[in-house]
Amino acid sequence: MNKEELVKKAYEAQKFSYSPYSGFQVGAALLAGNGKIYTGCNIENAAFSPTNCAERTAFFKAVSEGEKEFQGIAIVGNKKDAPKEEWEFCTPCGVCRQVMLEFVNPEEFLIISGKGDEIKEFTLKELLPESFSPSMVN
Ligand code: THU
């Protein structure tokens, strides 16, 4: 997995962020098992709750095109026009973590957070321990 390339794709997707309410722009790049990359951005809504995070946009795009295997996702996020010194590592919200769990092996799937040229990485299991997993229902 080329993590730097994945973060670069997340930054490209961030440019499409539709976030007139929060001004917080997020981009994601999801690497499928076959090497294909699906990007996503956050898409906000005047009614607030229909807002979709960048990570879920990427996952829903991929799953809706038949993808079933995933290796990892890169995420970047910061306030619009924030100077580089104010950027922080953006990690997925709880809802997105749960959506990821539906489709991946939490011990293997990598969450790569980018901040400029820096990278922090986690497995999904690290970010969602003791989770409510699909195997409990199935
Ligand atoms: N957001 C994401 O897209 N991904 C995250 O990991 C955190 C939050 C979005 C949702 C909303 O549009 C904005 O960031 C502020 O919460």
Side-chain angles (χ1 to χ4, degrees), residues 21 45-51:
Y21 304 102
N45 188 279
F48 286 21
S49 65
T51 292

Side-chain angles (χ1 to χ4, degrees), residues 10-130:
Y11 272 117
E12 282 169 21
Q14 187 189 28
K15 294 186 194 132
F16 299 118
S17 166
Y18 177 76
S19 41
Y21 304 102
S22 74
F24 194 77
Q25 301 179 313
V26 186
L30 173 64
L31 181 62
N34 58 12
K36 202 168 161 188
I37 294 173
Y38 293 85
T39 58
C41 64
N42 57 330
I43 304 168
E44 298 188 345
N45 188 279
F48 286 21
S49 65
T51 292
N52 209 52
C53 290
E55 299 89 324
R56 271 178 289 149
T57 303
F59 261 92
F60 294 158
K61 279 171 69 179
V63 173
S64 68
E65 291 184 28
E67 293 294 351
K68 293 210 167 58
E69 288 182 11
F70 301 100
Q71 304 181 49
I73 189 168
I75 305 156
V76 300
N78 52 263
K79 272 274 191 186
K80 187 175 188 289
D81 299 329
K84 257 192 163 178
E85 312 81 68
E86 287 175 18
W87 290 2
E88 288 181 41
F89 289 104
C90 181
T91 46
C93 79
V95 171
C96 287
R97 293 176 199 201
Q98 187 72 36
V99 166
M100 291 175 196
L101 184 64
E102 192 68 28
F103 301 108
V104 307
N105 177 342
E107 289 175 14
E108 289 174 5
F109 184 74
L110 284 185
I111 293 164
I112 299 150
S113 178
K115 185 178 82 162
D117 295 333
E118 293 173 72
I119 275 176
K120 255 191 189 178
E121 65 178 73
F122 314 87
T123 62
L124 179 58
K125 189 167 182 171
E126 287 177 299
L127 296 191
L128 196 64
E130 303 299 329

